[in-house]
Amino acid sequence: MSEQKRYTGSCLCGGLRYEIRGEIGDIVQCHCQRCRKANGSAFATNAPIRKADFHIVQGEHLLKKFQSSETTQRCFCSDCGSPIISIKTDTPDLYRLRIDTLDTPLQQKPTQHIFVASKAEWDSICDGLPQYNERP
Ligand SMILES: [Zn+2]
Ligand SMILES: [Zn+2]
């Protein structure tokens, strides 16, 4: 039996803590306007995780959901505003983790840029990763 991966993470205020008992999928840099607004930055760094692997171990009452489009809910800490996960109706078994809330060091690197057609006009992508105008 292979060893189960385990990651921990938390929001900025520390009120909300979670564990992932499983794998973290391919990391993407999302430049869509909704991610930019939600994070106040040039892009969001997200990775899929299995819903069944995600466990809130503290502060579940702090997790607030915002319906940012017909198909997407964004979940964030209602005390400090840290974005934690998003949930899309077309992939109900997955959450998209905002990986910068992890406290466990991550060995994986980003794999691609998505929604670059809507990236900020002042932003320059300087790495050699594949770029997609929308979600590939
Ligand atoms: Zn918080
Ligand atoms: Zn996005």
mmCIF file of all heavy atoms in Angstrom, residues 35-77:
data_model
loop_
_atom_site.group_PDB
_atom_site.id
_atom_site.type_symbol
_atom_site.label_atom_id
_atom_site.label_comp_id
_atom_site.label_asym_id
_atom_site.label_seq_id
_atom_site.Cartn_x
_atom_site.Cartn_y
_atom_site.Cartn_z
ATOM 1 N N CYS A 35 -11.088 35.396 -11.237
ATOM 2 C CA CYS A 35 -9.994 35.046 -10.308
ATOM 3 C C CYS A 35 -9.187 36.285 -9.943
ATOM 4 O O CYS A 35 -8.784 36.456 -8.794
ATOM 5 C CB CYS A 35 -9.066 33.994 -10.921
ATOM 6 S SG CYS A 35 -9.673 32.305 -10.787
ATOM 7 N N ARG A 36 -8.957 37.160 -10.939
ATOM 8 C CA ARG A 36 -8.181 38.370 -10.645
ATOM 9 C C ARG A 36 -8.917 39.229 -9.621
ATOM 10 O O ARG A 36 -8.319 39.749 -8.666
ATOM 11 C CB ARG A 36 -7.917 39.137 -11.939
ATOM 12 C CG ARG A 36 -6.905 38.413 -12.847
ATOM 13 C CD ARG A 36 -6.921 38.979 -14.258
ATOM 14 N NE ARG A 36 -6.869 40.440 -14.231
ATOM 15 C CZ ARG A 36 -7.361 41.221 -15.187
ATOM 16 N NH1 ARG A 36 -7.933 40.703 -16.248
ATOM 17 N NH2 ARG A 36 -7.282 42.524 -15.066
ATOM 18 N N LYS A 37 -10.228 39.394 -9.818
ATOM 19 C CA LYS A 37 -11.011 40.180 -8.855
ATOM 20 C C LYS A 37 -11.003 39.514 -7.479
ATOM 21 O O LYS A 37 -10.852 40.177 -6.443
ATOM 22 C CB LYS A 37 -12.470 40.282 -9.333
ATOM 23 C CG LYS A 37 -12.662 41.117 -10.568
ATOM 24 C CD LYS A 37 -12.974 42.545 -10.216
ATOM 25 C CE LYS A 37 -13.329 43.333 -11.474
ATOM 26 N NZ LYS A 37 -13.217 44.780 -11.226
ATOM 27 N N ALA A 38 -11.216 38.195 -7.460
ATOM 28 C CA ALA A 38 -11.339 37.483 -6.186
ATOM 29 C C ALA A 38 -10.044 37.543 -5.381
ATOM 30 O O ALA A 38 -10.073 37.513 -4.150
ATOM 31 C CB ALA A 38 -11.741 36.026 -6.439
ATOM 32 N N ASN A 39 -8.904 37.611 -6.090
ATOM 33 C CA ASN A 39 -7.616 37.597 -5.401
ATOM 34 C C ASN A 39 -6.967 38.974 -5.329
ATOM 35 O O ASN A 39 -5.994 39.149 -4.590
ATOM 36 C CB ASN A 39 -6.638 36.642 -6.108
ATOM 37 C CG ASN A 39 -7.021 35.195 -5.925
ATOM 38 O OD1 ASN A 39 -8.194 34.855 -5.966
ATOM 39 N ND2 ASN A 39 -6.051 34.345 -5.699
ATOM 40 N N GLY A 40 -7.447 39.931 -6.132
ATOM 41 C CA GLY A 40 -6.804 41.243 -6.181
ATOM 42 C C GLY A 40 -5.394 41.163 -6.726
ATOM 43 O O GLY A 40 -4.514 41.918 -6.314
ATOM 44 N N SER A 41 -5.164 40.212 -7.655
ATOM 45 C CA SER A 41 -3.815 40.003 -8.178
ATOM 46 C C SER A 41 -3.901 39.570 -9.635
ATOM 47 O O SER A 41 -4.986 39.377 -10.177
ATOM 48 C CB SER A 41 -3.088 38.955 -7.344
ATOM 49 O OG SER A 41 -3.811 37.738 -7.368
ATOM 50 N N ALA A 42 -2.743 39.415 -10.270
ATOM 51 C CA ALA A 42 -2.700 39.157 -11.713
ATOM 52 C C ALA A 42 -3.300 37.804 -12.083
ATOM 53 O O ALA A 42 -3.788 37.629 -13.188
ATOM 54 C CB ALA A 42 -1.266 39.245 -12.211
ATOM 55 N N PHE A 43 -3.198 36.848 -11.182
ATOM 56 C CA PHE A 43 -3.774 35.531 -11.466
ATOM 57 C C PHE A 43 -3.971 34.781 -10.157
ATOM 58 O O PHE A 43 -3.453 35.189 -9.111
ATOM 59 C CB PHE A 43 -2.877 34.719 -12.423
ATOM 60 C CG PHE A 43 -1.432 34.627 -12.004
ATOM 61 C CD1 PHE A 43 -1.013 33.701 -11.061
ATOM 62 C CD2 PHE A 43 -0.490 35.489 -12.564
ATOM 63 C CE1 PHE A 43 0.315 33.621 -10.684
ATOM 64 C CE2 PHE A 43 0.844 35.430 -12.186
ATOM 65 C CZ PHE A 43 1.245 34.486 -11.243
ATOM 66 N N ALA A 44 -4.753 33.715 -10.240
ATOM 67 C CA ALA A 44 -4.919 32.814 -9.103
ATOM 68 C C ALA A 44 -4.180 31.524 -9.416
ATOM 69 O O ALA A 44 -4.098 31.115 -10.577
ATOM 70 C CB ALA A 44 -6.399 32.520 -8.876
ATOM 71 N N THR A 45 -3.602 30.919 -8.413
ATOM 72 C CA THR A 45 -2.878 29.667 -8.595
ATOM 73 C C THR A 45 -3.702 28.562 -7.960
ATOM 74 O O THR A 45 -3.868 28.519 -6.731
ATOM 75 C CB THR A 45 -1.470 29.765 -7.983
ATOM 76 O OG1 THR A 45 -0.837 30.935 -8.493
ATOM 77 C CG2 THR A 45 -0.636 28.550 -8.330
ATOM 78 N N ASN A 46 -4.254 27.716 -8.810
ATOM 79 C CA ASN A 46 -5.263 26.748 -8.394
ATOM 80 C C ASN A 46 -4.844 25.335 -8.772
ATOM 81 O O ASN A 46 -4.123 25.144 -9.746
ATOM 82 C CB ASN A 46 -6.595 27.038 -9.099
ATOM 83 C CG ASN A 46 -7.071 28.466 -8.913
ATOM 84 O OD1 ASN A 46 -6.790 29.089 -7.901
ATOM 85 N ND2 ASN A 46 -7.794 28.977 -9.891
ATOM 86 N N ALA A 47 -5.330 24.358 -8.031
ATOM 87 C CA ALA A 47 -5.108 22.956 -8.396
ATOM 88 C C ALA A 47 -6.318 22.146 -7.956
ATOM 89 O O ALA A 47 -6.885 22.398 -6.888
ATOM 90 C CB ALA A 47 -3.845 22.408 -7.736
ATOM 91 N N PRO A 48 -6.714 21.157 -8.772
ATOM 92 C CA PRO A 48 -7.849 20.328 -8.381
ATOM 93 C C PRO A 48 -7.479 19.341 -7.277
ATOM 94 O O PRO A 48 -6.358 18.814 -7.258
ATOM 95 C CB PRO A 48 -8.207 19.586 -9.679
ATOM 96 C CG PRO A 48 -6.959 19.584 -10.485
ATOM 97 C CD PRO A 48 -6.175 20.813 -10.096
ATOM 98 N N ILE A 49 -8.411 19.143 -6.387
ATOM 99 C CA ILE A 49 -8.283 18.102 -5.359
ATOM 100 C C ILE A 49 -9.612 17.359 -5.333
ATOM 101 O O ILE A 49 -10.632 17.901 -5.772
ATOM 102 C CB ILE A 49 -7.981 18.690 -3.958
ATOM 103 C CG1 ILE A 49 -9.042 19.734 -3.573
ATOM 104 C CG2 ILE A 49 -6.587 19.287 -3.909
ATOM 105 C CD1 ILE A 49 -8.950 20.205 -2.140
ATOM 106 N N ARG A 50 -9.597 16.137 -4.812
ATOM 107 C CA ARG A 50 -10.853 15.400 -4.714
ATOM 108 C C ARG A 50 -11.645 15.931 -3.522
ATOM 109 O O ARG A 50 -11.099 16.131 -2.433
ATOM 110 C CB ARG A 50 -10.594 13.904 -4.575
ATOM 111 C CG ARG A 50 -10.087 13.264 -5.873
ATOM 112 C CD ARG A 50 -9.871 11.770 -5.720
ATOM 113 N NE ARG A 50 -11.055 11.125 -5.172
ATOM 114 C CZ ARG A 50 -11.043 10.267 -4.147
ATOM 115 N NH1 ARG A 50 -9.899 9.941 -3.570
ATOM 116 N NH2 ARG A 50 -12.153 9.727 -3.715
ATOM 117 N N LYS A 51 -12.937 16.138 -3.768
ATOM 118 C CA LYS A 51 -13.827 16.621 -2.706
ATOM 119 C C LYS A 51 -13.733 15.729 -1.470
ATOM 120 O O LYS A 51 -13.695 16.203 -0.334
ATOM 121 C CB LYS A 51 -15.254 16.626 -3.258
ATOM 122 C CG LYS A 51 -16.316 17.067 -2.305
ATOM 123 C CD LYS A 51 -17.681 17.023 -2.991
ATOM 124 C CE LYS A 51 -18.776 17.403 -2.001
ATOM 125 N NZ LYS A 51 -20.098 17.368 -2.658
ATOM 126 N N ALA A 52 -13.644 14.417 -1.701
ATOM 127 C CA ALA A 52 -13.606 13.459 -0.590
ATOM 128 C C ALA A 52 -12.322 13.567 0.224
ATOM 129 O O ALA A 52 -12.273 13.100 1.374
ATOM 130 C CB ALA A 52 -13.760 12.036 -1.134
ATOM 131 N N ASP A 53 -11.269 14.189 -0.357
ATOM 132 C CA ASP A 53 -9.983 14.313 0.349
ATOM 133 C C ASP A 53 -9.894 15.582 1.190
ATOM 134 O O ASP A 53 -8.934 15.767 1.937
ATOM 135 C CB ASP A 53 -8.820 14.339 -0.664
ATOM 136 C CG ASP A 53 -8.665 13.034 -1.416
ATOM 137 O OD1 ASP A 53 -9.148 12.001 -0.917
ATOM 138 O OD2 ASP A 53 -8.045 13.059 -2.504
ATOM 139 N N PHE A 54 -10.864 16.497 1.015
ATOM 140 C CA PHE A 54 -10.792 17.814 1.657
ATOM 141 C C PHE A 54 -11.566 17.798 2.973
ATOM 142 O O PHE A 54 -12.753 17.464 3.001
ATOM 143 C CB PHE A 54 -11.381 18.874 0.711
ATOM 144 C CG PHE A 54 -11.282 20.281 1.230
ATOM 145 C CD1 PHE A 54 -10.084 20.972 1.193
ATOM 146 C CD2 PHE A 54 -12.400 20.927 1.760
ATOM 147 C CE1 PHE A 54 -9.995 22.273 1.662
ATOM 148 C CE2 PHE A 54 -12.319 22.230 2.235
ATOM 149 C CZ PHE A 54 -11.115 22.908 2.182
ATOM 150 N N HIS A 55 -10.878 18.152 4.056
ATOM 151 C CA HIS A 55 -11.512 18.122 5.375
ATOM 152 C C HIS A 55 -11.210 19.426 6.097
ATOM 153 O O HIS A 55 -10.035 19.779 6.279
ATOM 154 C CB HIS A 55 -10.966 16.955 6.212
ATOM 155 C CG HIS A 55 -11.109 15.636 5.533
ATOM 156 N ND1 HIS A 55 -12.231 14.850 5.636
ATOM 157 C CD2 HIS A 55 -10.274 14.975 4.695
ATOM 158 C CE1 HIS A 55 -12.087 13.757 4.912
ATOM 159 N NE2 HIS A 55 -10.904 13.803 4.328
ATOM 160 N N ILE A 56 -12.255 20.122 6.514
ATOM 161 C CA ILE A 56 -12.048 21.320 7.337
ATOM 162 C C ILE A 56 -11.919 20.854 8.783
ATOM 163 O O ILE A 56 -12.812 20.166 9.299
ATOM 164 C CB ILE A 56 -13.196 22.318 7.162
ATOM 165 C CG1 ILE A 56 -13.182 22.851 5.727
ATOM 166 C CG2 ILE A 56 -13.053 23.476 8.152
ATOM 167 C CD1 ILE A 56 -14.258 23.843 5.415
ATOM 168 N N VAL A 57 -10.790 21.154 9.390
ATOM 169 C CA VAL A 57 -10.541 20.661 10.750
ATOM 170 C C VAL A 57 -10.799 21.740 11.799
ATOM 171 O O VAL A 57 -10.830 21.447 12.992
ATOM 172 C CB VAL A 57 -9.099 20.094 10.891
ATOM 173 C CG1 VAL A 57 -8.937 18.864 10.010
ATOM 174 C CG2 VAL A 57 -8.042 21.127 10.551
ATOM 175 N N GLN A 58 -10.953 22.982 11.359
ATOM 176 C CA GLN A 58 -11.262 24.069 12.297
ATOM 177 C C GLN A 58 -11.937 25.209 11.544
ATOM 178 O O GLN A 58 -11.527 25.533 10.426
ATOM 179 C CB GLN A 58 -9.964 24.580 12.940
ATOM 180 C CG GLN A 58 -10.164 25.716 13.951
ATOM 181 C CD GLN A 58 -8.826 26.345 14.339
ATOM 182 O OE1 GLN A 58 -7.944 25.663 14.846
ATOM 183 N NE2 GLN A 58 -8.682 27.634 14.071
ATOM 184 N N GLY A 59 -12.943 25.806 12.149
ATOM 185 C CA GLY A 59 -13.540 27.043 11.630
ATOM 186 C C GLY A 59 -14.458 26.862 10.443
ATOM 187 O O GLY A 59 -14.593 27.778 9.627
ATOM 188 N N GLU A 60 -15.126 25.722 10.341
ATOM 189 C CA GLU A 60 -16.008 25.481 9.190
ATOM 190 C C GLU A 60 -17.062 26.590 9.049
ATOM 191 O O GLU A 60 -17.438 26.959 7.936
ATOM 192 C CB GLU A 60 -16.690 24.115 9.331
ATOM 193 C CG GLU A 60 -17.531 23.749 8.126
ATOM 194 C CD GLU A 60 -17.592 22.261 7.838
ATOM 195 O OE1 GLU A 60 -17.412 21.475 8.794
ATOM 196 O OE2 GLU A 60 -17.822 21.903 6.673
ATOM 197 N N HIS A 61 -17.506 27.139 10.172
ATOM 198 C CA HIS A 61 -18.542 28.185 10.128
ATOM 199 C C HIS A 61 -18.033 29.465 9.446
ATOM 200 O O HIS A 61 -18.816 30.320 9.057
ATOM 201 C CB HIS A 61 -19.026 28.507 11.550
ATOM 202 C CG HIS A 61 -17.959 29.105 12.419
ATOM 203 N ND1 HIS A 61 -16.935 28.357 12.975
ATOM 204 C CD2 HIS A 61 -17.739 30.387 12.816
ATOM 205 C CE1 HIS A 61 -16.141 29.155 13.676
ATOM 206 N NE2 HIS A 61 -16.601 30.385 13.594
ATOM 207 N N LEU A 62 -16.705 29.601 9.327
ATOM 208 C CA LEU A 62 -16.138 30.798 8.696
ATOM 209 C C LEU A 62 -16.163 30.727 7.177
ATOM 210 O O LEU A 62 -16.014 31.742 6.495
ATOM 211 C CB LEU A 62 -14.684 31.000 9.156
ATOM 212 C CG LEU A 62 -14.485 31.302 10.629
ATOM 213 C CD1 LEU A 62 -12.999 31.308 10.984
ATOM 214 C CD2 LEU A 62 -15.113 32.647 10.980
ATOM 215 N N LEU A 63 -16.320 29.514 6.628
ATOM 216 C CA LEU A 63 -16.262 29.353 5.179
ATOM 217 C C LEU A 63 -17.543 29.867 4.547
ATOM 218 O O LEU A 63 -18.621 29.303 4.723
ATOM 219 C CB LEU A 63 -16.045 27.880 4.805
ATOM 220 C CG LEU A 63 -15.630 27.641 3.356
ATOM 221 C CD1 LEU A 63 -14.203 28.142 3.109
ATOM 222 C CD2 LEU A 63 -15.726 26.166 2.988
ATOM 223 N N LYS A 64 -17.420 30.960 3.819
ATOM 224 C CA LYS A 64 -18.574 31.565 3.161
ATOM 225 C C LYS A 64 -18.496 31.285 1.669
ATOM 226 O O LYS A 64 -17.405 31.273 1.089
ATOM 227 C CB LYS A 64 -18.583 33.072 3.429
ATOM 228 C CG LYS A 64 -19.867 33.724 2.982
ATOM 229 C CD LYS A 64 -20.001 35.158 3.459
ATOM 230 C CE LYS A 64 -21.290 35.736 2.879
ATOM 231 N NZ LYS A 64 -21.399 37.164 3.060
ATOM 232 N N LYS A 65 -19.666 31.044 1.057
ATOM 233 C CA LYS A 65 -19.715 30.736 -0.372
ATOM 234 C C LYS A 65 -20.286 31.923 -1.126
ATOM 235 O O LYS A 65 -21.280 32.510 -0.725
ATOM 236 C CB LYS A 65 -20.615 29.517 -0.616
ATOM 237 C CG LYS A 65 -20.080 28.219 -0.049
ATOM 238 C CD LYS A 65 -20.947 27.050 -0.537
ATOM 239 C CE LYS A 65 -20.298 25.710 -0.252
ATOM 240 N NZ LYS A 65 -20.738 25.081 0.992
ATOM 241 N N PHE A 66 -19.641 32.240 -2.240
ATOM 242 C CA PHE A 66 -20.143 33.286 -3.126
ATOM 243 C C PHE A 66 -20.330 32.690 -4.516
ATOM 244 O O PHE A 66 -19.407 32.083 -5.068
ATOM 245 C CB PHE A 66 -19.167 34.466 -3.187
ATOM 246 C CG PHE A 66 -19.525 35.475 -4.238
ATOM 247 C CD1 PHE A 66 -20.667 36.242 -4.128
ATOM 248 C CD2 PHE A 66 -18.722 35.645 -5.367
ATOM 249 C CE1 PHE A 66 -21.022 37.159 -5.102
ATOM 250 C CE2 PHE A 66 -19.057 36.566 -6.350
ATOM 251 C CZ PHE A 66 -20.215 37.322 -6.214
ATOM 252 N N GLN A 67 -21.526 32.851 -5.066
ATOM 253 C CA GLN A 67 -21.824 32.331 -6.413
ATOM 254 C C GLN A 67 -21.302 33.341 -7.418
ATOM 255 O O GLN A 67 -21.947 34.368 -7.662
ATOM 256 C CB GLN A 67 -23.341 32.143 -6.540
ATOM 257 C CG GLN A 67 -23.775 31.349 -7.749
ATOM 258 C CD GLN A 67 -23.741 29.846 -7.502
ATOM 259 O OE1 GLN A 67 -24.018 29.396 -6.390
ATOM 260 N NE2 GLN A 67 -23.388 29.078 -8.514
ATOM 261 N N SER A 68 -20.124 33.088 -8.015
ATOM 262 C CA SER A 68 -19.521 34.099 -8.900
ATOM 263 C C SER A 68 -19.948 33.931 -10.350
ATOM 264 O O SER A 68 -19.730 34.822 -11.169
ATOM 265 C CB SER A 68 -17.994 34.076 -8.796
ATOM 266 O OG SER A 68 -17.475 32.879 -9.307
ATOM 267 N N SER A 69 -20.512 32.791 -10.684
ATOM 268 C CA SER A 69 -21.114 32.613 -12.003
ATOM 269 C C SER A 69 -22.164 31.524 -11.854
ATOM 270 O O SER A 69 -22.298 30.932 -10.778
ATOM 271 C CB SER A 69 -20.068 32.213 -13.051
ATOM 272 O OG SER A 69 -19.693 30.863 -12.877
ATOM 273 N N GLU A 70 -22.874 31.235 -12.954
ATOM 274 C CA GLU A 70 -23.925 30.219 -12.871
ATOM 275 C C GLU A 70 -23.375 28.881 -12.409
ATOM 276 O O GLU A 70 -24.072 28.106 -11.769
ATOM 277 C CB GLU A 70 -24.559 30.056 -14.258
ATOM 278 C CG GLU A 70 -26.026 30.430 -14.302
ATOM 279 C CD GLU A 70 -26.543 30.452 -15.720
ATOM 280 O OE1 GLU A 70 -26.520 29.392 -16.363
ATOM 281 O OE2 GLU A 70 -26.955 31.541 -16.177
ATOM 282 N N THR A 71 -22.106 28.607 -12.745
ATOM 283 C CA THR A 71 -21.552 27.275 -12.487
ATOM 284 C C THR A 71 -20.480 27.250 -11.400
ATOM 285 O O THR A 71 -19.973 26.183 -11.087
ATOM 286 C CB THR A 71 -20.927 26.707 -13.780
ATOM 287 O OG1 THR A 71 -19.948 27.635 -14.251
ATOM 288 C CG2 THR A 71 -21.979 26.491 -14.856
ATOM 289 N N THR A 72 -20.120 28.395 -10.856
ATOM 290 C CA THR A 72 -18.987 28.428 -9.922
ATOM 291 C C THR A 72 -19.340 29.091 -8.599
ATOM 292 O O THR A 72 -19.904 30.181 -8.571
ATOM 293 C CB THR A 72 -17.790 29.189 -10.541
ATOM 294 O OG1 THR A 72 -17.472 28.593 -11.788
ATOM 295 C CG2 THR A 72 -16.568 29.127 -9.628
ATOM 296 N N GLN A 73 -18.996 28.399 -7.520
ATOM 297 C CA GLN A 73 -19.062 28.984 -6.186
ATOM 298 C C GLN A 73 -17.636 29.180 -5.690
ATOM 299 O O GLN A 73 -16.815 28.258 -5.785
ATOM 300 C CB GLN A 73 -19.751 28.030 -5.210
ATOM 301 C CG GLN A 73 -21.253 27.979 -5.344
ATOM 302 C CD GLN A 73 -21.862 27.147 -4.229
ATOM 303 O OE1 GLN A 73 -21.308 26.126 -3.842
ATOM 304 N NE2 GLN A 73 -22.984 27.578 -3.707
ATOM 305 N N ARG A 74 -17.365 30.350 -5.130
ATOM 306 C CA ARG A 74 -16.056 30.623 -4.548
ATOM 307 C C ARG A 74 -16.208 30.647 -3.034
ATOM 308 O O ARG A 74 -17.078 31.341 -2.505
ATOM 309 C CB ARG A 74 -15.512 31.962 -5.051
ATOM 310 C CG ARG A 74 -15.173 31.914 -6.521
ATOM 311 C CD ARG A 74 -14.864 33.268 -7.102
ATOM 312 N NE ARG A 74 -14.643 33.144 -8.532
ATOM 313 C CZ ARG A 74 -13.449 32.892 -9.090
ATOM 314 N NH1 ARG A 74 -12.366 32.798 -8.341
ATOM 315 N NH2 ARG A 74 -13.346 32.759 -10.395
ATOM 316 N N CYS A 75 -15.352 29.887 -2.346
ATOM 317 C CA CYS A 75 -15.465 29.738 -0.902
ATOM 318 C C CYS A 75 -14.259 30.388 -0.245
ATOM 319 O O CYS A 75 -13.122 30.104 -0.609
ATOM 320 C CB CYS A 75 -15.532 28.262 -0.530
ATOM 321 S SG CYS A 75 -16.812 27.375 -1.446
ATOM 322 N N PHE A 76 -14.537 31.251 0.726
ATOM 323 C CA PHE A 76 -13.473 32.050 1.327
ATOM 324 C C PHE A 76 -13.729 32.209 2.812
ATOM 325 O O PHE A 76 -14.842 31.972 3.302
ATOM 326 C CB PHE A 76 -13.402 33.426 0.647
ATOM 327 C CG PHE A 76 -14.687 34.207 0.745
ATOM 328 C CD1 PHE A 76 -14.877 35.143 1.754
ATOM 329 C CD2 PHE A 76 -15.721 33.986 -0.153
ATOM 330 C CE1 PHE A 76 -16.062 35.853 1.865
ATOM 331 C CE2 PHE A 76 -16.924 34.691 -0.054
ATOM 332 C CZ PHE A 76 -17.092 35.623 0.956
ATOM 333 N N CYS A 77 -12.694 32.619 3.551
ATOM 334 C CA CYS A 77 -12.859 32.856 4.979
ATOM 335 C C CYS A 77 -13.594 34.176 5.175
ATOM 336 O O CYS A 77 -13.151 35.220 4.682
ATOM 337 C CB CYS A 77 -11.512 32.904 5.683
ATOM 338 S SG CYS A 77 -11.672 33.407 7.418
#
